Amino acid sequence: MACDENVIKNMANEITRNCQAQNITVDTDFVIYLIDLLLLNPKYGRMFSKTISRNNLEAFVNDCVHMLTSGTTSINTLKMQFIMQMNYDKLQNLIDKHLDSIDQCLRPLINEILEDDPDVDDDTAFKKLFRKISIYIILSSGLGNPGSIVTLKEGMAALESVFSLEDLKVFVALPRSEKMTQLNELMQIASGVRLFNRDCKKGGEGIPDLPFNIVDAGKACLAALSNSLIGVMQRVNSLTTAVADTITIQEETGNIIIDIPNNSELTENNYKQIFELLAFNRQYELYIRKLLSDVETMVQNGTHYVEKVKLVLEELHSSVKYKAAVPVVTVFPLFTKLWKVWRSMQNVMYLMSTVNRLMTILASIQDQMKIPYDIVEKMLEGKNVITDHDRTSSKISVTDKLSLGSLKNYVGYGGSFTTLCDKNIQFLGFCALCLSVGALVPSNMKLGLIKFKGDNYGFCSVKMATRFSKDSQRYVNEVLEFARNNPCVINLLNILENVNEVKKIDNLVTRILPKTKISDKHVQTETHPIYGYIEKNYTWDMWEWKRRACQWATIVNCQTHSTQTDYSHLRSEIHCQTVEPRDKSQQTKKDTGINTNPRDVFIWGLRGQIGYGQHAMKLNTVTDGEKQKGDIS
């Protein structure tokens, strides 16, 4: 593939910059994790199979930015997977990485100690080297802070009790490899001496009380994980009950569909939203169960180490009791043994702190999730919430047992199968057919399993098992097709290798459409279903139509009448609606004048005439029926 590690890193950097432009901060390593999963899909894999063009790269980057900035449930699921993948591993691997990190931090100091070669007569230089060795022992053992004067003095006194300045001169003359070996032995013995002095109440400055802390921390961690598991299982049971009964099989085609009730207000997108939310909570459940199991192991180991420390201390006390001098051969191995047990307790405490840190991160992601309770309540109407235990252990009838026994490659239930995290069952024990649409419905283990190409598959009903037995490869491909289009379920179901094997196949599944039903039947129709109609204005002559068109065109020269309405102003975009000016000043019914009713009173003196002042004068009025001179009847 043309998309190598450098190209992927460059794409991740560009995606990160585009997200920051939208005020969304994402980790570059998480973007690389997302890109690796997306490239398993041929839709994106084909873009970079041979050459990388700028258009394809831009389209891919835009899709990734849209996914990261949308904040969907699937992105939160991927973030949770990435955090666990980067920060958690097998317990021993975590301890080894932790000890390696301590060695890397102390490597400059170790090199100074190993490379220091003071003169034999230079006592000041030897004292300085002795001090460096004491600081290294305190830092490497984790028993306090050498920056504290009291702690440093205790460390130097413990080292001096087992390693004198004369021994230091011999140490300087040794080869580098032997120096490193002796330095580790000194660290173990001196640390054991400090722990013994602490137990004797003669020191122990900066040394934590691990035997007490490890028990207390284990109880607190177990309680927090148990509460988280109870909460997530309540959500899982509700969401599973909401969607389990809606997954059905089309009898004709065998397609897995979401059967939404006819009178329901819900849509297919609502169900897909719940499917994603269920996948997130299932992933959260798996991690909580894994952490809970590991913490139980840590608590058991911690309790064992606490008892072992007590036994070693008792053995040390009995060895040095009432004795002025104890042989080195007897006491040094006991100091080393005490230190090794203490180091084991330190490792357990580190693991518990790692678990607590991861719990906090996972809980913060969980708090960001918002459950659409209105949709879930509509889906749960008339249903009782069923737990995983009840769902995976419900009894089956004798008829169903007989029908299952006749299936191809059927593996009967022997009581040894469990669901979720069972490595013997593919897809973590979820129903293989329900997964083809994204629904994580647990299988009923009492139905047994069906073996296909060396893998066992479970099912939630007899109908699902029967259909899978008829065409196993088809439904396995449907799950893989769904997984590569929804990368959040790839690592959830542990099918990364399966998806990687088919990443070059464009079409894994061909959707089967229902056949159109055809039947031969005789149909008697009416002789004349439509009554006859004759168009009076019909003409076949083209010139007649042209003549009529010319006649109709003259309508633009005709005067029309209109009615003024409240919305008449909408006919024009101008602010005022006027009429064209006319030659005549007035338009009346008659051309001779205006028939008005004159007023009866006239005000004398309005123009300032000299006389009697302004006063009203009554005019001569015309009686009804009379006509003034000049009127035209």
Side-chain angles (χ1 to χ4, degrees), residues 138 141-152 154-155 194-195 198 203-210 213 342 346:
I138 295 172
S141 63
L143 300 179
N145 180 12
S148 172
I149 301 298
V150 178
T151 303
L152 182 58
E154 285 186 9
R194 290 192 63 201
L195 293 172
R198 174 185 175 277
E205 181 69 21
I207 301 177
D209 188 4
L210 277 187
N213 292 343
W342 194 270
Q346 285 181 335

Side-chain angles (χ1 to χ4, degrees), residues 10-61:
N10 292 335
M11 287 193 296
N13 292 331
E14 186 172 354
I15 292 169
T16 303
R17 288 193 298 269
N18 292 346
C19 290
Q20 289 176 350
Q22 301 184 28
N23 297 325
I24 302 294
T25 303
V26 293
D27 187 3
T28 306
D29 293 333
F30 171 66
V31 177
I32 294 175
Y33 173 76
L34 175 62
I35 292 173
D36 290 336
L37 292 177
L38 290 177
L39 290 179
L40 296 175
N41 190 344
K43 172 185 175 183
Y44 299 110
R46 286 195 305 269
M47 292 182 176
F48 314 108
S49 57
K50 296 180 181 178
T51 58
I52 300 176
S53 65
R54 184 60 197 174
N55 292 334
N56 291 342
L57 182 60
E58 185 176 358
F60 180 73
V61 168

Side-chain angles (χ1 to χ4, degrees), residues 501-520:
E501 291 174 358
V502 298
K503 66 180 181 181
K504 295 183 179 179
I505 303 175
D506 293 339
N507 296 319
L508 278 175
V509 180
T510 302
R511 192 72 175 177
I512 302 175
L513 299 176
K515 296 180 180 179
T516 304
K517 296 181 179 180
I518 301 174
S519 59
D520 295 332

